[in-house]
Amino acid sequence: MTTSAPPATYEEIVDRILERLASAGALRETNDERTWDSFGRTSAVIHHTFDIPPTAVTPMMRRLLFALGRAARPRTIAGVGTYVGYAFAWLLGDASDPAAHRFDRAVGIDVDRVANEQARRNCDALGHADRLSFLDEDGAEALRRWEHGPIDILYLDLDDPVRGKRPYVDVLAAALPHLAPGALVLGHDPCVERFKDDIARYHEFVRASSLLGPWVLGVDACGLSVAGVPVAR
Ligand SMILES: C[S@@+](CC[C@H](N)C(=O)[O-])C[C@H]1O[C@@H](n2cnc3c(N)ncnc32)[C@H](O)[C@@H]1O
């Protein structure tokens, strides 16, 4: 009997996750041979230019977000609770990288005006010019009035001082009519104990919305929840 060796590196673990998501119908493509070189170059740009406070985004999560952002080939990306743009940056990639996937439109949404100013300064280094913007707004409000076309990746990372991750449900509800067939919905922090009830409610809503998943990827202490819009709805 042959057994495949367990993945040994972060990259191999992410490759394996993407293969599983593709076989479950949540991704049309997996990593290509240029993904990890491109990740290394993008990481150098981000870590040489960004000004960020301490972050919960681990080396493993950076690779996972980067690989998902590439494999999903998004034309339009929306992020809610994007703070200073660090986690979001891995989904966006570096426009000047020779192996970059280029999106048409990405919008980061955060209620914190000062964080958005920093996110704009940080993400300027990624060269997406006016294809990328950051809005000072509540995520659900902004998505109710969304005018940027079908969303291919929705990234949720808001953390309300009182409501915690409960608004993930409100944001997804507002975004549902705008999600493209085959869209990915990514939620940060499903493994964090203090968000357990909020995430359970969010996952109930995902199931009730007939999305694929949710899959909880416990790749680090925060984890990533992945759901997908079926290609034909
Ligand atoms: C703590 S940050 C996420 C940080 C990220 N996980 C990291 O480790 O780098 C959460 C962000 O959600 C934002 N936020 C809270 N409620 C929001 C809402 N209703 N709409 C949009 N953003 C919101 C906060 O302003 C904050 O910038």
Side-chain angles (χ1 to χ4, degrees), residues 3-94:
T3 52
S4 58
T9 63
Y10 288 156
E11 288 81 4
E12 286 171 7
I13 293 168
V14 172
D15 288 345
R16 203 68 74 86
I17 288 171
L18 264 61
E19 283 161 19
R20 295 270 173 93
L21 289 172
S23 58
L27 270 180
R28 276 174 277 218
E29 295 187 36
T30 54
N31 278 344
D32 59 42
E33 67 288 351
R34 301 195 302 167
T35 299
W36 297 120
D37 285 345
S38 179
F39 172 82
R41 291 187 295 268
T42 305
S43 182
V45 172
I46 291 175
H47 289 133
H48 280 113
T49 56
F50 275 41
D51 184 2
I52 53 163
T55 173
V57 178
T58 59
M60 181 73 214
M61 188 60 69
R62 290 172 213 153
R63 285 164 175 77
L64 180 58
L65 292 172
F66 182 83
L68 286 169
R70 228 176 112 68
R73 300 274 180 258
R75 291 180 61 189
T76 302
I77 306 173
V80 177
T82 41
Y83 192 39
V84 295
Y86 181 68
F88 201 41
W90 302 101
L91 286 174
L92 304 174
D94 173 12

Coordinates of all heavy atoms in Angstrom, one line a residue, residues 3-94:
T3 N 1.3 5.3 0.7 CA 0.7 6.4 1.4 C 1.5 7.6 1.0 O 2.7 7.6 0.9 CB 0.7 6.2 2.9 OG1 2.0 5.9 3.3 CG2 -0.2 5.1 3.4
S4 N 0.8 8.8 0.8 CA 1.5 10.0 0.5 C 2.1 10.6 1.7 O 1.4 10.5 2.8 CB 0.6 11.0 -0.3 OG -0.5 11.3 0.5
A5 N 3.3 11.1 1.6 CA 4.0 11.7 2.8 C 3.2 12.9 3.3 O 2.6 13.6 2.5 CB 5.4 12.1 2.4
P6 N 3.2 13.1 4.6 CA 2.5 14.3 5.1 C 3.2 15.6 4.6 O 4.4 15.5 4.5 CB 2.5 14.2 6.6 CG 3.6 13.1 6.9 CD 3.7 12.3 5.7
P7 N 2.5 16.7 4.4 CA 3.1 17.9 4.0 C 4.1 18.4 5.0 O 3.8 18.3 6.2 CB 2.0 18.9 3.8 CG 0.8 18.3 4.5 CD 1.0 16.8 4.5
A8 N 5.3 18.8 4.6 CA 6.3 19.1 5.5 C 6.6 20.6 5.7 O 7.1 21.1 6.7 CB 7.6 18.5 5.1
T9 N 6.2 21.4 4.7 CA 6.4 22.9 4.8 C 5.1 23.6 4.8 O 4.1 23.1 4.4 CB 7.2 23.3 3.6 OG1 6.5 23.1 2.4 CG2 8.6 22.6 3.5
Y10 N 5.1 24.9 5.1 CA 3.9 25.7 5.0 C 3.4 25.7 3.6 O 2.2 25.6 3.4 CB 4.2 27.2 5.4 CG 4.5 27.5 6.8 CD1 5.3 28.6 7.2 CD2 4.0 26.7 7.9 CE1 5.6 28.9 8.5 CE2 4.3 27.0 9.2 CZ 5.1 28.1 9.5 OH 5.3 28.4 10.8
E11 N 4.3 25.8 2.7 CA 3.8 25.8 1.2 C 3.1 24.5 0.9 O 2.1 24.5 0.2 CB 5.1 26.1 0.3 CG 5.6 27.5 0.4 CD 6.6 27.7 1.6 OE1 6.8 26.7 2.3 OE2 7.0 28.8 1.8
E12 N 3.7 23.4 1.3 CA 3.1 22.1 1.0 C 1.7 22.0 1.6 O 0.8 21.4 1.1 CB 4.0 20.9 1.4 CG 5.2 20.8 0.5 CD 6.2 19.8 1.0 OE1 6.0 19.1 2.0 OE2 7.3 19.7 0.4
I13 N 1.6 22.5 2.9 CA 0.3 22.4 3.6 C -0.7 23.2 2.8 O -1.8 22.8 2.5 CB 0.4 22.9 5.0 CG1 1.3 21.9 5.8 CG2 -1.0 23.1 5.7 CD1 1.7 22.5 7.2
V14 N -0.3 24.4 2.4 CA -1.3 25.3 1.6 C -1.6 24.6 0.3 O -2.8 24.6 -0.1 CB -0.7 26.7 1.4 CG1 -1.6 27.5 0.5 CG2 -0.6 27.4 2.8
D15 N -0.6 24.1 -0.4 CA -0.9 23.4 -1.7 C -1.9 22.3 -1.5 O -2.9 22.2 -2.2 CB 0.4 22.7 -2.2 CG 1.4 23.7 -2.8 OD1 1.0 24.9 -3.0 OD2 2.6 23.3 -3.0
R16 N -1.8 21.5 -0.4 CA -2.7 20.4 -0.1 C -4.1 21.0 0.2 O -5.1 20.4 -0.3 CB -2.2 19.7 1.1 CG -2.6 18.2 1.3 CD -2.1 17.3 0.2 NE -0.7 16.9 0.3 CZ -0.2 15.9 1.1 NH1 -1.0 15.2 1.8 NH2 1.1 15.7 1.1
I17 N -4.2 22.1 0.9 CA -5.5 22.7 1.3 C -6.2 23.1 0.0 O -7.4 22.9 -0.2 CB -5.3 23.9 2.2 CG1 -4.9 23.4 3.6 CG2 -6.6 24.7 2.3 CD1 -4.5 24.5 4.6
L18 N -5.4 23.8 -0.9 CA -6.1 24.3 -2.1 C -6.6 23.1 -3.0 O -7.6 23.2 -3.6 CB -5.1 25.2 -2.9 CG -5.3 26.7 -2.6 CD1 -5.1 27.0 -1.2 CD2 -4.4 27.5 -3.5
E19 N -5.8 22.0 -3.0 CA -6.3 20.9 -3.8 C -7.6 20.3 -3.2 O -8.5 20.0 -4.0 CB -5.2 19.7 -3.7 CG -4.0 20.0 -4.7 CD -2.8 19.2 -4.3 OE1 -2.9 18.1 -3.6 OE2 -1.7 19.6 -4.7
R20 N -7.7 20.3 -1.9 CA -8.9 19.8 -1.3 C -10.1 20.8 -1.6 O -11.2 20.3 -1.9 CB -8.8 19.7 0.3 CG -7.8 18.7 0.7 CD -8.4 17.4 0.9 NE -7.4 16.4 1.2 CZ -7.1 16.0 2.5 NH1 -7.6 16.6 3.5 NH2 -6.2 15.1 2.7
L21 N -9.8 22.1 -1.5 CA -10.9 23.0 -1.8 C -11.3 22.9 -3.3 O -12.5 23.0 -3.6 CB -10.4 24.5 -1.5 CG -10.3 24.8 0.0 CD1 -9.7 26.2 0.2 CD2 -11.7 24.8 0.7
A22 N -10.4 22.7 -4.1 CA -10.7 22.5 -5.6 C -11.5 21.3 -5.8 O -12.5 21.3 -6.5 CB -9.4 22.5 -6.4
S23 N -11.2 20.2 -5.1 CA -11.9 18.9 -5.3 C -13.3 19.0 -4.7 O -14.3 18.4 -5.1 CB -11.2 17.7 -4.9 OG -10.9 17.8 -3.5
A24 N -13.5 20.0 -3.7 CA -14.8 20.2 -3.1 C -15.6 21.2 -3.9 O -16.8 21.5 -3.5 CB -14.7 20.7 -1.7
G25 N -15.1 21.7 -5.0 CA -15.8 22.6 -5.9 C -15.7 24.1 -5.5 O -16.4 24.9 -6.0
A26 N -14.9 24.4 -4.5 CA -14.8 25.8 -4.0 C -13.8 26.6 -4.8 O -13.8 27.9 -4.7 CB -14.5 25.9 -2.5
L27 N -12.9 26.0 -5.5 CA -11.9 26.7 -6.3 C -11.8 26.0 -7.6 O -11.9 24.8 -7.7 CB -10.5 26.5 -5.6 CG -10.0 27.5 -4.6 CD1 -8.6 27.0 -4.1 CD2 -9.9 28.9 -5.1
R28 N -11.6 26.9 -8.6 CA -11.5 26.3 -10.0 C -10.0 25.9 -10.3 O -9.8 25.0 -11.1 CB -12.0 27.3 -11.0 CG -13.5 27.2 -11.2 CD -14.0 28.3 -12.1 NE -14.2 29.5 -11.3 CZ -15.2 30.4 -11.5 NH1 -16.1 30.2 -12.4 NH2 -15.2 31.5 -10.8
E29 N -9.1 26.6 -9.7 CA -7.7 26.3 -9.9 C -7.0 26.1 -8.6 O -7.4 26.5 -7.6 CB -7.0 27.5 -10.7 CG -7.6 27.7 -12.0 CD -6.9 28.8 -12.8 OE1 -5.7 28.9 -12.7 OE2 -7.6 29.6 -13.5
T30 N -5.8 25.5 -8.7 CA -4.9 25.4 -7.5 C -3.7 26.2 -7.8 O -3.6 27.0 -8.7 CB -4.6 23.9 -7.2 OG1 -4.0 23.4 -8.4 CG2 -5.8 23.1 -6.9
N31 N -2.6 26.0 -6.9 CA -1.4 26.7 -7.1 C -0.7 26.3 -8.4 O -0.8 25.2 -8.8 CB -0.5 26.5 -6.0 CG -0.8 27.3 -4.8 OD1 -1.6 28.3 -4.9 ND2 -0.3 27.0 -3.6
D32 N 0.0 27.3 -9.0 CA 0.9 26.9 -10.1 C 2.3 27.0 -9.7 O 2.6 27.4 -8.6 CB 0.5 27.8 -11.4 CG 0.7 29.3 -11.1 OD1 1.7 29.6 -10.5 OD2 -0.1 30.1 -11.6
E33 N 3.2 26.7 -10.6 CA 4.6 26.6 -10.2 C 5.2 28.0 -9.9 O 6.3 28.1 -9.3 CB 5.5 25.9 -11.3 CG 5.6 26.6 -12.6 CD 4.3 26.6 -13.5 OE1 3.3 26.0 -13.1 OE2 4.3 27.4 -14.5
R34 N 4.5 29.1 -10.2 CA 5.1 30.4 -9.9 C 4.6 31.0 -8.6 O 5.1 32.0 -8.2 CB 4.7 31.4 -11.1 CG 5.2 30.8 -12.4 CD 5.2 31.9 -13.5 NE 3.9 32.4 -13.8 CZ 3.7 33.5 -14.5 NH1 4.7 34.2 -15.0 NH2 2.5 34.0 -14.7
T35 N 3.7 30.3 -7.9 CA 3.0 30.9 -6.7 C 4.1 31.2 -5.7 O 4.1 32.3 -5.1 CB 2.0 29.9 -6.2 OG1 1.0 29.7 -7.2 CG2 1.3 30.5 -4.9
W36 N 4.9 30.3 -5.3 CA 5.8 30.5 -4.1 C 6.9 31.5 -4.4 O 7.3 32.2 -3.5 CB 6.2 29.2 -3.5 CG 5.0 28.4 -3.1 CD1 4.6 27.2 -3.5 CD2 4.0 28.9 -2.1 NE1 3.4 26.9 -2.9 CE2 3.0 27.9 -2.1 CE3 3.8 30.1 -1.4 CZ2 1.8 28.0 -1.3 CZ3 2.6 30.2 -0.6 CH2 1.7 29.2 -0.5
D37 N 7.4 31.5 -5.6 CA 8.4 32.6 -5.9 C 7.8 33.9 -5.9 O 8.3 34.9 -5.3 CB 9.0 32.4 -7.4 CG 10.0 31.2 -7.4 OD1 10.4 30.8 -6.3 OD2 10.2 30.8 -8.5
S38 N 6.6 34.0 -6.4 CA 5.8 35.3 -6.4 C 5.5 35.7 -4.9 O 5.6 36.9 -4.6 CB 4.5 35.1 -7.2 OG 3.8 36.3 -7.2
F39 N 5.2 34.7 -4.1 CA 4.9 35.0 -2.7 C 6.2 35.6 -2.0 O 6.1 36.6 -1.3 CB 4.5 33.7 -1.9 CG 4.5 33.9 -0.4 CD1 3.4 34.5 0.2 CD2 5.6 33.6 0.4 CE1 3.3 34.8 1.5 CE2 5.5 33.9 1.7 CZ 4.4 34.4 2.3
G40 N 7.4 35.0 -2.3 CA 8.6 35.5 -1.7 C 8.9 36.9 -2.1 O 9.3 37.8 -1.2
R41 N 8.7 37.2 -3.4 CA 8.9 38.6 -3.8 C 7.9 39.6 -3.2 O 8.3 40.7 -2.8 CB 8.9 38.7 -5.3 CG 10.0 38.0 -6.1 CD 10.0 38.2 -7.6 NE 8.8 37.7 -8.2 CZ 8.7 36.5 -8.8 NH1 9.7 35.7 -8.8 NH2 7.6 36.1 -9.4
T42 N 6.7 39.2 -3.1 CA 5.6 40.0 -2.6 C 5.9 40.3 -1.1 O 5.7 41.4 -0.6 CB 4.2 39.4 -2.8 OG1 4.1 39.1 -4.2 CG2 3.1 40.3 -2.3
S43 N 6.3 39.2 -0.4 CA 6.6 39.3 1.0 C 7.7 40.3 1.3 O 7.6 41.1 2.2 CB 7.0 37.9 1.5 OG 7.2 38.0 2.9
A44 N 8.7 40.3 0.4 CA 9.8 41.3 0.6 C 9.3 42.7 0.4 O 9.6 43.6 1.2 CB 10.9 41.0 -0.5
V45 N 8.4 43.0 -0.6 CA 7.9 44.3 -0.8 C 7.1 44.7 0.5 O 7.3 45.8 1.0 CB 6.9 44.3 -2.0 CG1 6.2 45.7 -2.1 CG2 7.8 44.1 -3.3
I46 N 6.2 43.8 0.9 CA 5.3 44.2 2.1 C 6.2 44.4 3.3 O 6.0 45.4 4.0 CB 4.3 43.1 2.3 CG1 3.3 43.0 1.1 CG2 3.6 43.2 3.6 CD1 2.2 41.9 1.2
H47 N 7.1 43.6 3.6 CA 7.8 43.7 4.8 C 8.9 44.8 4.8 O 9.4 45.3 5.8 CB 8.4 42.3 5.3 CG 7.3 41.4 5.7 ND1 7.2 40.1 5.3 CD2 6.2 41.6 6.5 CE1 6.1 39.6 5.8 NE2 5.5 40.5 6.6
H48 N 9.3 45.3 3.6 CA 10.2 46.4 3.5 C 9.5 47.7 3.6 O 10.1 48.7 3.9 CB 11.1 46.3 2.3 CG 12.2 45.4 2.4 ND1 12.3 44.2 1.7 CD2 13.3 45.4 3.2 CE1 13.4 43.6 2.0 NE2 14.0 44.2 3.0
T49 N 8.2 47.7 3.2 CA 7.5 49.1 3.1 C 6.4 49.3 4.1 O 6.1 50.4 4.4 CB 7.0 49.2 1.6 OG1 6.1 48.2 1.4 CG2 8.1 49.3 0.6
F50 N 5.7 48.3 4.5 CA 4.5 48.5 5.3 C 4.9 48.9 6.7 O 5.9 48.4 7.3 CB 3.7 47.2 5.4 CG 2.7 46.9 4.3 CD1 3.1 47.2 3.0 CD2 1.4 46.4 4.5 CE1 2.2 47.0 1.9 CE2 0.6 46.2 3.5 CZ 0.9 46.5 2.2
D51 N 4.1 49.7 7.3 CA 4.2 50.1 8.7 C 3.0 49.5 9.4 O 1.8 49.9 9.2 CB 4.1 51.7 8.8 CG 4.4 52.2 10.2 OD1 4.6 51.3 11.1 OD2 4.3 53.4 10.4
I52 N 3.2 48.5 10.2 CA 2.1 47.8 10.9 C 2.3 47.6 12.3 O 3.5 47.3 12.8 CB 1.9 46.4 10.2 CG1 3.2 45.5 10.2 CG2 1.3 46.5 8.8 CD1 2.9 44.1 9.9
P53 N 1.3 47.6 13.1 CA 1.4 47.3 14.5 C 1.5 45.8 14.7 O 1.3 45.0 13.7 CB 0.1 47.8 15.2 CG -0.8 48.1 14.0 CD -0.1 48.1 12.8
P54 N 1.7 45.2 15.9 CA 1.8 43.8 16.0 C 0.5 43.1 15.5 O -0.6 43.7 15.6 CB 1.8 43.6 17.6 CG 2.4 44.8 18.1 CD 1.9 45.9 17.2
T55 N 0.6 42.0 14.8 CA -0.5 41.4 14.1 C -0.6 39.9 14.4 O 0.4 39.3 14.7 CB -0.3 41.6 12.6 OG1 -1.3 40.9 11.9 CG2 1.0 41.1 12.1
A56 N -1.9 39.5 14.3 CA -2.1 38.0 14.5 C -2.0 37.2 13.2 O -2.2 36.0 13.2 CB -3.6 37.9 15.1
V57 N -1.6 37.9 12.1 CA -1.5 37.2 10.9 C -0.1 36.5 10.8 O 0.9 37.1 10.8 CB -1.6 38.2 9.7 CG1 -1.4 37.5 8.4 CG2 -3.0 38.9 9.7
T58 N -0.2 35.2 10.8 CA 1.1 34.4 10.9 C 1.7 34.1 9.6 O 1.0 34.3 8.5 CB 0.7 33.0 11.6 OG1 -0.3 32.4 10.7 CG2 0.2 33.2 13.0
P59 N 2.9 33.6 9.6 CA 3.5 33.2 8.3 C 2.7 32.2 7.5 O 2.6 32.3 6.3 CB 4.9 32.6 8.7 CG 5.2 33.3 10.0 CD 3.9 33.5 10.7
M60 N 2.0 31.3 8.2 CA 1.2 30.3 7.6 C -0.1 31.0 6.9 O -0.4 30.7 5.8 CB 0.7 29.3 8.7 CG -0.2 28.2 8.2 SD 0.8 27.1 7.3 CE -0.4 26.6 6.1
M61 N -0.7 31.9 7.7 CA -1.9 32.6 7.2 C -1.5 33.5 6.0 O -2.3 33.6 5.0 CB -2.5 33.5 8.3 CG -3.8 34.1 7.9 SD -5.1 32.8 7.5 CE -5.4 32.1 9.1
R62 N -0.3 34.1 6.0 CA 0.1 34.9 4.8 C 0.1 34.1 3.6 O -0.4 34.5 2.5 CB 1.5 35.5 5.0 CG 1.6 36.5 6.1 CD 3.1 36.8 6.3 NE 3.3 37.1 7.7 CZ 4.4 37.0 8.4 NH1 5.5 36.5 7.8 NH2 4.5 37.3 9.6
R63 N 0.7 32.9 3.7 CA 0.8 32.0 2.5 C -0.6 31.6 2.1 O -0.9 31.5 0.9 CB 1.7 30.8 2.8 CG 3.2 31.2 2.9 CD 4.0 30.2 3.6 NE 5.4 30.5 3.5 CZ 6.1 31.4 4.3 NH1 5.4 32.1 5.2 NH2 7.3 31.7 4.1
L64 N -1.4 31.2 3.0 CA -2.8 30.8 2.7 C -3.6 31.8 2.0 O -4.2 31.6 0.9 CB -3.5 30.3 4.0 CG -4.9 29.8 3.8 CD1 -4.9 28.6 2.8 CD2 -5.5 29.3 5.1
L65 N -3.5 33.1 2.5 CA -4.3 34.2 1.9 C -3.7 34.5 0.5 O -4.5 34.7 -0.5 CB -4.3 35.4 2.8 CG -5.0 35.3 4.1 CD1 -4.8 36.5 4.9 CD2 -6.5 35.1 3.8
F66 N -2.4 34.5 0.4 CA -1.8 34.8 -0.9 C -2.2 33.8 -1.9 O -2.6 34.1 -3.1 CB -0.2 34.8 -0.7 CG 0.5 35.2 -2.0 CD1 0.6 36.5 -2.4 CD2 1.0 34.2 -2.8 CE1 1.3 36.8 -3.6 CE2 1.6 34.5 -4.0 CZ 1.8 35.9 -4.4
A67 N -2.1 32.5 -1.6 CA -2.4 31.4 -2.5 C -3.8 31.4 -2.9 O -4.2 31.2 -4.1 CB -2.0 30.1 -1.9
L68 N -4.7 31.7 -2.0 CA -6.2 31.7 -2.3 C -6.4 32.9 -3.2 O -7.2 32.8 -4.2 CB -7.0 31.9 -1.0 CG -7.1 30.6 -0.2 CD1 -7.7 30.9 1.2 CD2 -7.9 29.5 -0.9
G69 N -5.8 34.0 -2.9 CA -6.0 35.3 -3.8 C -5.5 35.1 -5.2 O -6.0 35.7 -6.1
R70 N -4.5 34.2 -5.4 CA -4.0 33.9 -6.7 C -4.8 32.9 -7.4 O -5.2 33.0 -8.6 CB -2.6 33.4 -6.5 CG -1.5 34.0 -7.4 CD -0.2 33.4 -7.0 NE 0.3 32.6 -8.1 CZ 0.6 33.1 -9.3 NH1 0.6 34.4 -9.5 NH2 1.1 32.3 -10.3
A71 N -5.1 31.8 -6.7 CA -5.8 30.7 -7.3 C -7.3 31.0 -7.7 O -7.8 30.5 -8.7 CB -5.8 29.4 -6.4
A72 N -7.9 31.9 -7.0 CA -9.3 32.3 -7.2 C -9.4 33.2 -8.4 O -10.5 33.4 -9.0 CB -9.9 32.9 -6.0
R73 N -8.3 33.8 -8.9 CA -8.3 34.7 -10.1 C -9.4 35.7 -10.0 O -10.2 35.9 -10.9 CB -8.5 33.9 -11.4 CG -7.4 32.9 -11.6 CD -6.2 33.6 -12.3 NE -5.1 32.7 -12.6 CZ -3.9 32.6 -11.9 NH1 -3.8 33.4 -10.8 NH2 -3.0 31.8 -12.2
P74 N -9.5 36.5 -8.8 CA -10.6 37.4 -8.7 C -10.5 38.6 -9.6 O -9.4 39.1 -9.8 CB -10.5 37.8 -7.2 CG -9.0 37.7 -6.9 CD -8.5 36.5 -7.7
R75 N -11.6 39.0 -10.1 CA -11.7 40.3 -10.7 C -12.0 41.4 -9.7 O -11.6 42.6 -9.8 CB -12.8 40.3 -11.9 CG -12.3 39.4 -13.0 CD -13.4 39.4 -14.1 NE -13.6 40.7 -14.7 CZ -14.5 41.0 -15.5 NH1 -15.4 40.1 -15.9 NH2 -14.6 42.2 -16.0
T76 N -12.8 41.0 -8.7 CA -13.3 42.0 -7.7 C -13.1 41.4 -6.3 O -13.6 40.3 -6.1 CB -14.7 42.4 -8.0 OG1 -14.8 42.9 -9.3 CG2 -15.2 43.5 -7.0
I77 N -12.5 42.2 -5.4 CA -12.3 41.8 -4.1 C -12.9 42.8 -3.1 O -12.7 44.0 -3.3 CB -10.8 41.7 -3.8 CG1 -10.1 40.8 -4.8 CG2 -10.5 41.1 -2.4 CD1 -8.5 40.7 -4.7
A78 N -13.6 42.3 -2.1 CA -14.0 43.2 -1.0 C -13.5 42.7 0.3 O -13.6 41.5 0.6 CB -15.6 43.3 -1.0
G79 N -13.0 43.6 1.2 CA -12.6 43.2 2.5 C -13.3 44.1 3.5 O -13.4 45.3 3.3
V80 N -13.6 43.5 4.6 CA -14.3 44.3 5.7 C -13.6 44.1 7.0 O -13.3 43.0 7.5 CB -15.8 43.8 5.9 CG1 -16.5 44.6 7.0 CG2 -16.6 44.0 4.6
G81 N -13.2 45.2 7.6 CA -12.4 45.2 8.8 C -10.9 45.0 8.4 O -10.1 44.2 9.0
T82 N -10.5 45.8 7.4 CA -9.2 45.6 6.8 C -8.1 46.3 7.6 O -6.9 46.1 7.3 CB -9.2 46.0 5.3 OG1 -9.9 47.2 5.2 CG2 -9.8 45.0 4.4
Y83 N -8.4 47.1 8.6 CA -7.5 47.7 9.5 C -6.4 48.4 8.7 O -6.7 49.2 7.9 CB -7.0 46.6 10.5 CG -6.2 47.1 11.7 CD1 -6.6 48.2 12.4 CD2 -5.1 46.4 12.2 CE1 -5.9 48.7 13.5 CE2 -4.4 46.8 13.3 CZ -4.8 47.9 13.9 OH -4.1 48.3 15.0
V84 N -5.1 48.1 9.0 CA -4.0 48.8 8.3 C -3.6 48.2 6.9 O -2.6 48.5 6.3 CB -2.8 49.0 9.1 CG1 -3.1 49.9 10.4 CG2 -2.2 47.6 9.6
G85 N -4.5 47.2 6.5 CA -4.3 46.6 5.2 C -3.3 45.5 5.1 O -3.0 44.9 4.0
Y86 N -2.8 45.0 6.3 CA -1.8 44.0 6.2 C -2.3 42.6 5.8 O -1.8 42.0 4.8 CB -1.1 43.9 7.6 CG 0.0 42.8 7.6 CD1 1.2 43.0 6.9 CD2 -0.1 41.7 8.3 CE1 2.2 42.1 6.9 CE2 0.9 40.7 8.4 CZ 2.1 40.9 7.7 OH 3.1 40.0 7.7
A87 N -3.4 42.1 6.4 CA -3.9 40.8 6.0 C -4.5 40.9 4.6 O -4.2 40.0 3.8 CB -5.0 40.4 7.0
F88 N -5.1 42.0 4.3 CA -5.7 42.2 3.0 C -4.7 42.2 1.9 O -4.9 41.7 0.8 CB -6.5 43.6 3.0 CG -7.5 43.7 1.9 CD1 -8.4 42.7 1.6 CD2 -7.7 45.0 1.3 CE1 -9.4 42.9 0.7 CE2 -8.7 45.2 0.4 CZ -9.5 44.2 0.0
A89 N -3.5 42.7 2.2 CA -2.4 42.8 1.2 C -2.0 41.5 0.6 O -1.7 41.4 -0.6 CB -1.2 43.4 1.9
W90 N -2.1 40.4 1.4 CA -1.7 39.1 0.9 C -2.7 38.6 -0.2 O -2.4 37.9 -1.1 CB -1.6 38.1 2.0 CG -0.6 38.6 3.0 CD1 -0.8 39.2 4.2 CD2 0.8 38.6 2.8 NE1 0.4 39.6 4.8 CE2 1.4 39.2 4.0 CE3 1.7 38.1 1.8 CZ2 2.8 39.4 4.1 CZ3 3.1 38.3 2.0 CH2 3.6 38.9 3.1
L91 N -4.0 39.0 0.0 CA -5.0 38.7 -1.1 C -4.8 39.5 -2.3 O -5.0 39.1 -3.4 CB -6.4 38.9 -0.5 CG -7.0 38.0 0.5 CD1 -8.3 38.5 1.0 CD2 -7.1 36.6 -0.1
L92 N -4.3 40.7 -2.1 CA -4.2 41.7 -3.3 C -2.9 41.3 -4.1 O -3.0 41.5 -5.3 CB -4.0 43.1 -2.7 CG -5.1 43.6 -1.8 CD1 -4.8 45.0 -1.3 CD2 -6.4 43.7 -2.6
G93 N -1.8 41.0 -3.4 CA -0.6 40.8 -4.2 C 0.0 42.1 -4.7 O -0.5 43.1 -4.4
D94 N 1.2 41.9 -5.3 CA 1.9 43.1 -5.8 C 1.7 43.2 -7.3 O 2.2 42.3 -8.1 CB 3.4 42.9 -5.4 CG 4.3 43.9 -6.0 OD1 3.8 44.9 -6.5 OD2 5.5 43.7 -6.0

